[in-house]
Amino acid sequence: MYNLAGSKQDKILEVIATVNELENSLKPLKAKGLKIALVPTMGALHNGHLSLIAAAQKQADIVVCSIFVNPTQFTDPKDLEKYPRPLAHDIKMLTEAGCNFVFMPSVKEMYPQYPVPENWKIDLGNAEFLLEGEFRKGHYQGVTQIVFKLFDAVKPNSAFFGQKDFQQVLMIKNMVAVLNLDVQIITCPIIREDDGLAMSSRNIHLSNTDRKSSLVLSQALFFIGQNYNNSPLAEVLENATQIVNKPPGVILDYLTIVDGDTLLPITEKSTRNTVALVAAKVGETRLIDNIIIN
Ligand code: AMP
C-alpha cells in the first residue's frame, strides 16, 4: 500500500482508533526495518504541526501523527470543552501532507478507568513545578502520561515536538531520561504568522481586537532577543514587560529569562542555553511563546 519512492500524494492516510489496530499495522513495517516517527498533537492542525510532519518525513520512513485532546493535561474544564476539534479538516491536512497514519483514539482507549485518575507519576524534576507547572498544576504529569502511552503504543524510533512548548519538550526529555526510553526526541522551531504571532490551535478563539493585542507577546520576546546583549538584564525585562502590559485585555502570567535546563531565572547574563518565555491571557485565551536567546 505504501509507495515510499513515490510522491507524497501517492500515500494513503490510514485512520486508526485503537492501540491494537495500530500495533498490528506497524508490525510488518517495523519487520521490514522501516523507521517510524511519531508526531503527537491535539489536532486543529496548522502549519506549525505540518512543519513537524515534514521534519519527521525527512528523517523517518513512516510518520504516525496522533490526534488526541488529552483530558488529563487540562486544568480548566472550560478550556477542555472548548478545545477545537475540526476532524475533517485535520484529516484533509494530513492526507495532503502525505502522512502515513493518524491515530485518533477515544478517551476510554487511552484511559480505560476515565474519569478515575490513574495513580502513577513520573519524576520530572523541579522544573515541572515552574512556569506552566505553576499556573497549570499537574499539567506535565498529564502531558507525560499521554506521551508515555503514545510511545508505548507506537514504539517510535523518533518523536517530534515543537519548541513552541519549550517546557513540554524539556519534561518529555526528562521522562525519556528517567525511564530510559529508547526514542529520539527532536525539537522543531516555532512557526509564526507573518506578523510574528506563534501559530496555535487556540488562536481561533481570539477576537479581532484580541488578535491585534496578541502581537505584544512576540514583540516583547523579539525585543529581548534584540537587546539582551546590549542592555542591562533588568532593564531589558522591564521594558519587555511594559510591551506586554500595554494593550488592555492582556493579563501577563509570566515573562522571564531562564536557564533552558533548570527553567530558573538567570540573575546575570549567560552565553549558553538562555530562553525567554512568556504566558499571558489575551481576552479569554491563554497564549504562550518563547525565544531562544543563545
Ligand atoms: P498541540 O496540538 O498544540 O498539542 O501541539 C502539538 C505539537 O505541535 C507540539 O509538539 C507543539 O509544540 C507543536 N506546535 C504547536 N504550535 C507550533 C508552532 N507554532 N510551531 C511549531 N510547532 C508547534
Side-chain angles (χ1 to χ4, degrees), residues 10-28:
D10 292 335
K11 291 184 211 164
I12 297 160
L13 176 71
E14 211 175 307
V15 182
I16 292 191
T18 67
V19 172
N20 204 359
E21 213 187 320
L22 184 64
E23 284 172 346
N24 287 338
S25 295
L26 293 178
K27 206 183 269 172

Side-chain angles (χ1 to χ4, degrees), residues 27-155:
K27 206 183 269 172
L29 301 171
K30 288 179 180 173
K32 280 191 204 158
L34 297 178
K35 296 274 174 268
I36 316 279
L38 172 66
V39 180
T41 81
M42 297 205 299
L45 301 179
H46 50 66
N47 284 343
H49 297 114
L50 291 190
S51 75
L52 304 189
I53 304 273
Q57 283 171 330
K58 273 199 189 139
Q59 208 239 22
D61 304 305
I62 300 289
V63 177
V64 180
C65 175
S66 60
I67 296 183
F68 182 66
V69 183
N70 174 37
T72 69
Q73 73 187 66
F74 282 79
T75 41
D76 174 2
K78 265 202 302 202
D79 188 25
L80 173 62
E81 197 185 314
K82 74 173 191 191
Y83 201 85
R85 292 164 167 90
L87 287 188
H89 157 271
D90 286 353
I91 287 181
K92 185 167 180 278
M93 276 185 98
L94 291 175
T95 303
E96 284 170 5
C99 186
N100 303 103
F101 292 94
V102 59
F103 179 49
M104 301 168 60
S106 66
V107 172
K108 281 278 181 195
E109 178 70 11
M110 300 316 282
Y111 298 104
Q113 306 164 38
Y114 190 81
V116 177
E118 292 184 13
N119 197 14
W120 56 283
K121 282 191 157 62
I122 301 168
D123 180 1
L124 300 169
N126 290 337
E128 178 193 342
F129 307 107
L130 304 173
L131 305 177
E132 287 305 285
E134 191 182 332
F135 284 88
R136 305 176 72 188
K137 302 264 185 247
H139 174 63
Y140 289 114
Q141 287 302 325
V143 167
T144 48
Q145 207 166 52
I146 192 61
V147 172
F148 179 84
K149 283 169 182 263
L150 291 169
F151 284 179
D152 197 43
V154 179
K155 301 201 173 55

Side-chain angles (χ1 to χ4, degrees), residues 39-49 51-52 68 73 83 160-166 168-169 188-192 197-202:
V39 180
T41 81
M42 297 205 299
L45 301 179
H46 50 66
N47 284 343
H49 297 114
S51 75
L52 304 189
F68 182 66
Q73 73 187 66
Y83 201 85
F160 289 70
F161 295 90
Q163 180 209 314
K164 162 80 172 27
D165 297 275
F166 185 90
Q168 171 169 283
V169 187
C188 300
I190 301 174
I191 305 298
R192 299 179 177 280
L197 176 67
M199 290 190 184
S200 163
S201 305
R202 289 188 169 88

